[in-house]
Amino acid sequence: MKIKILSIIILLAGLFGVTVKAQVKLTGAGSTFDYPIFSKWFDSYNKMTGVQINYASIGSGGGIQQVTTGTVDFGASDAPLTEEQMNNFKGKRGTEVVHIPIIMGGVAITYNLPSVGQGIKLDGETLADIYLGKIYKWNDPRIVKLNPGKNLPNQAIIVAHRSEGSGTTFIFTSYLSKVSPEWARRCGVSTSVNWPVGLGAKGTEGVAGIIAQTKGAIGYIELAYAKQNNLPYCQMKNKAGNFIDVNFNTVSEAAAGAVKNMPKDLRAVITNADGKSSYPICGFSWVVIPKDIKNNSHAEALVKFLKWAVTKGQADATSLYYAPLPKPVQKLDLEKLNSITSNGKKL
Amino acid sequence: MYSSSILSIKKFGWGFLTSSTWDPFSEVFGALPMIYGTLVSSLLGLIIAIPLGLGVAVFLSELAPSWLEKPLSFLTELLAGIPSVIYGLWGIFVLVPWLRDSVEPFLQNEFPNSPFFQGAPYGFGMLAAAIILSIMVLPIISSISRDVLKSVPNSQREAAYALGATKWEVTKIVLSYAKSGLLGAIILGLGRAIGETMAVTMVIGNRPQISTSLLAPGYTMASVLANEFTEATSDLYLNSLIELALVLFVITIIINIFARLLVWSTERKWKLSPM
């Protein structure tokens, strides 16, 4: 009897021992925006390779903090790290931080004007002035001028925005700052800003709720959400002067347009990008990792996973309403990932 | 909490409590609009909820026949069990459109010059938050008050009836007997209102501003914390949020002390001059 129990224990111990050895467990934390595609990736990657990845979607700020202190293997953020944060990272980890663009998101400008319907045209300055409270009627001459033939009502514009910090807000405000000097001066670029006018709502669904219920409302929401719910959205005038619908192609186009001027550290904010048919309000989401990773097995597993995610993994993007990274950006990502070292040695 | 908000305390000092700018981009943080929003929305909610809650309690304990009392008190207590997100959703889909389309235009027509009803009727705003809070606080006030009233000894009622008091006079006597318990119920309700986060966030409009108009959007401390804590990227921002939590904590303590004093003083009065 005793021998039987003993042998079972040994067998179990052996089993666990083996599984522990075969599995590397990676941990990450950060952006909530990335969470849906991350969980899909982690699941399919786990099935393929046995590598387990745990991710806590605690928000970009928390992700940056945790990767800076080294409690997780990677952080995910919708906004690139500031100089101050990068210096802080270097001070704490003794190595530089690397930004890997991992997926793209577009921001749709939606509105509620049943009498007008789909496809109001706007340009950046007009949109900024709406959000600054300088344009407050839908039949303002500047909106009318952009929309010949559309019968715009004499209706107050009710501005809606996100009340919590969010990557979507970062992309949106970075666009407004690029097209309107006044916005850049008064409000700036951040995951949450001091809004001059409007109603704040929590989450994409909150903003969409305000818009759906309030005649004359306008707001910015993630492309995915706008598509899923068939909300009307604006055609935005891009840098080249064309009015562009928001969809996966025009968003990826914007990234491709930005590749030429891509900074070395890949911290590119690609709002108002060049390119004939690129949509102006969109951006990357980043995974941030240390350039030199102490733990060799973690380093190998992490880099392998990220390489898979920025190439094959992108096929999952559109089904979850993200925009995939265009080929040139994937190439830059791979180059960047090849430069990651473990204790000074190449992987 | 003090030690993790040291950055913002050093930078802003007392100005944190008196400044009304909340600008995460230029990192200027002032908590006044949120303090104002928290106090006003809670007090307004309480002003609506107290008469209703006490009315329900008096009806249930003194007037209602017993076949009505059980199901009614069950229903009011059920209100307390609904998660606040559900209240928030109800607020967005039912209360806010109703306020926007009927109540607020009506108020503006009736009181065109009142400073309390100025501005565009969004629906979202202080008034919506106060109404949501009053509904959430109502079951707390009414069920505790009912229990307090029930525990008033029947001899009190019988004595009053024996002296020829009418039903209304008896109710008044019971109420004054139960005063300190009723105060306790109200203070508990206030505590709930001040700390309420989700439902308020969903209907208040989330704008850090101080406006006398009840139709204008506002912000409360709990909402700011819920909204901005996860994505607060800089240390100063995070510190300011923690300081805000500290302020909320201090305000709750002050209210509790105040409540204690109030209960204590009514009890003392009662002891000095029993009935």
Side-chain angles (χ1 to χ4, degrees):
Chain A
M1 191 62 193
K2 259 188 188 162
I3 294 174
K4 228 182 197 174
I5 293 174
L6 206 66
S7 61
I8 288 175
I9 289 174
I10 291 173
L11 194 72
L12 279 175
L15 266 176
F16 279 110
V18 168
T19 43
V20 167
K21 228 181 196 174
Q23 275 183 358
V24 180
K25 271 193 189 164
L26 297 173
T27 52
S31 159
T32 46
F33 170 78
D34 293 335
Y35 184 63
I37 190 143
F38 275 8
S39 41
K40 169 122 205 221
W41 280 345
F42 298 158
D43 184 49
S44 30
Y45 196 69
N46 179 260
K47 278 182 192 138
M48 273 165 42
T49 61
V51 175
Q52 243 189 49
I53 307 174
N54 288 324
Y55 182 75
S57 67
I58 55 173
S60 301
I64 290 171
Q65 222 169 30
Q66 294 215 356
V67 76
T68 304
T69 50
T71 43
V72 293
D73 292 307
F74 67 93
S77 173
D78 303 333
L81 272 65
T82 59
E83 293 295 328
E84 191 193 333
Q85 285 170 329
M86 288 168 66
N87 287 334
N88 190 13
F89 187 97
K90 205 171 174 192
K92 284 215 172 103
R93 299 292 296 268
T95 175
E96 268 164 50
V97 63
V98 174
H99 286 76
I100 308 288
I102 194 85
I103 198 77
M104 295 192 61
V107 177
I109 308 297
T110 76
Y111 54 87
N112 181 345
L113 281 180
S115 63
V116 179
Q118 183 68 257
I120 286 184
K121 294 186 168 81
L122 285 180
D123 60 15
E125 294 87 353
T126 313
L127 184 62
D129 281 349
I130 289 175
Y131 268 81
L132 284 165
K134 287 160 87 184
I135 295 178
Y136 47 88
K137 287 271 186 201
W138 278 106
N139 62 354
D140 188 281
R142 286 170 63 190
I143 305 179
V144 171
K145 203 175 147 207
L146 290 168
N147 293 280
K150 281 219 162 68
N151 190 14
L152 290 156
N154 178 20
Q155 173 117 39
I157 301 179
I158 292 172
V159 168
H161 58 79
R162 293 282 284 273
S163 60
E164 82 279 29
S166 110
T168 316
T169 302
F170 178 84
I171 293 173
F172 184 68
T173 53
S174 98
Y175 172 66
L176 292 187
S177 291
K178 277 188 187 167
V179 293
S180 156
E182 188 179 350
W183 181 274
R185 200 178 61 244
R186 274 178 61 186
C187 309
V189 187
S190 179
T191 50
S192 56
V193 296
N194 187 13
W195 299 94
V197 290
L199 294 169
K202 191 165 169 58
T204 307
E205 58 288 353
V207 174
I210 288 187
I211 297 167
Q213 286 193 27
T214 319
K215 280 218 180 75
I218 188 168
Y220 60 94
I221 60 178
E222 279 139 37
L223 164 65
Y225 200 86
K227 292 269 172 196
Q228 275 165 336
N229 293 286
N230 282 322
L231 301 170
Y233 46 82
C234 295
Q235 291 185 334
M236 293 301 303
K237 193 175 185 178
N238 67 6
K239 211 171 174 183
N242 302 323
F243 288 97
I244 303 296
D245 261 335
V246 53
N247 59 46
F248 308 124
N249 296 331
T250 55
V251 168
S252 288
E253 191 77 26
V259 166
K260 274 186 297 190
N261 308 321
M262 196 79 154
K264 276 221 173 73
D265 57 8
L266 306 185
R267 288 195 304 153
V269 176
I270 56 164
T271 45
N272 208 21
D274 292 319
K276 250 201 338 233
S277 57
S278 53
Y279 183 71
I281 320 175
C282 55
F284 292 118
S285 188
W286 289 267
V287 159
V288 286
I289 53 175
K291 189 165 170 38
D292 186 79
I293 302 170
K294 295 253 151 32
N295 185 325
N296 193 41
S297 62
H298 280 222
E300 265 174 18
L302 183 59
V303 167
K304 238 187 216 162
F305 163 71
L306 288 175
K307 279 183 177 169
W308 174 82
V310 298
T311 52
K312 291 216 174 73
Q314 297 295 318
D316 289 330
T318 47
S319 68
L320 291 168
Y321 297 96
Y322 296 88
L325 296 172
K327 280 268 152 37
V329 178
Q330 294 183 14
K331 217 180 121 212
L332 289 173
D333 271 353
L334 291 177
E335 280 167 21
K336 200 76 185 175
L337 285 167
N338 282 332
S339 75
I340 300 293
T341 57
S342 175
N343 294 316
K345 270 180 260 164
K346 285 224 154 183
L347 294 169
Chain B
M1 273 164 108
Y2 178 80
S3 66
S4 34
S5 56
I6 198 82
L7 267 182
S8 88
I9 291 175
K10 265 193 193 144
K11 174 135 191 226
F12 303 118
W14 291 106
F16 188 75
L17 300 179
T18 54
S19 147
S20 54
T21 313
W22 186 265
D23 185 346
F25 173 67
S26 31
E27 306 217 306
V28 178
F29 299 103
L32 194 61
M34 292 76 164
I35 297 174
Y36 173 84
T38 302
L39 293 179
V40 169
S41 64
S42 307
L43 290 178
L44 265 181
L46 221 52
I47 289 173
I48 305 172
I50 289 174
L52 282 174
L54 289 186
V56 169
V58 167
F59 176 73
L60 287 178
S61 76
E62 305 295 315
L63 307 172
S66 61
W67 59 267
L68 195 61
E69 186 201 328
K70 283 262 160 58
L72 264 185
S73 52
F74 175 73
L75 283 177
T76 45
E77 273 156 35
L78 200 65
L79 277 179
I82 299 174
S84 56
V85 174
I86 307 293
Y87 278 108
L89 284 176
W90 177 82
I92 290 182
F93 290 113
V94 181
L95 180 66
V96 165
W98 179 63
L99 284 177
R100 187 184 55 228
D101 298 334
S102 0
V103 178
E104 293 184 353
F106 169 78
L107 287 173
Q108 286 185 324
N109 276 335
E110 291 293 307
F111 310 100
N113 298 320
S114 160
F116 299 122
F117 306 118
Q118 294 301 314
Y122 291 122
F124 294 92
M126 204 59 104
L127 187 63
I131 293 177
I132 283 271
L133 280 176
S134 72
I135 298 171
M136 299 179 71
V137 163
L138 179 72
I140 296 179
I141 294 184
S142 74
S143 63
I144 296 178
S145 306
R146 187 183 59 102
D147 290 346
V148 169
L149 291 177
K150 284 240 144 181
S151 69
V152 172
N154 253 334
S155 55
Q156 291 283 335
R157 297 191 181 88
E158 282 157 11
Y161 280 125
L163 289 174
T166 60
K167 197 147 205 175
W168 169 235
E169 283 163 338
V170 173
T171 308
K172 273 204 289 193
I173 289 166
V174 171
L175 279 177
S176 76
Y177 190 91
K179 222 188 291 170
S180 65
L182 297 181
L183 257 177
I186 291 167
I187 296 299
L188 261 180
L190 181 61
R192 166 101 205 238
I194 285 181
E196 178 48 44
T197 311
M198 223 43 232
V200 173
T201 307
M202 289 164 87
V203 298
I204 200 170
N206 300 314
R207 265 184 78 64
Q209 67 173 18
I210 296 177
S211 164
T212 47
S213 172
L214 297 180
L215 311 189
Y219 221 156
T220 70
M221 290 187 270
S223 308
V224 180
L225 290 172
N227 275 330
E228 302 187 3
F229 201 76
T230 47
E231 297 282 342
T233 37
S234 80
D235 285 341
L236 184 62
Y237 193 1
L238 205 63
N239 273 258
S240 301
L241 286 171
I242 294 173
E243 187 178 351
L244 197 63
L246 187 67
V247 172
L248 181 58
F249 184 59
V250 170
I251 288 181
T252 334
I253 290 179
I254 291 175
I255 285 174
N256 263 317
I257 292 173
F258 180 68
R260 268 289 151 82
L261 288 177
L262 215 62
V263 170
W264 177 72
S265 75
T266 52
E267 266 174 3
R268 211 172 59 129
K269 245 188 253 160
W270 184 78
K271 265 181 200 144
L272 288 178
S273 59
M275 303 302 286

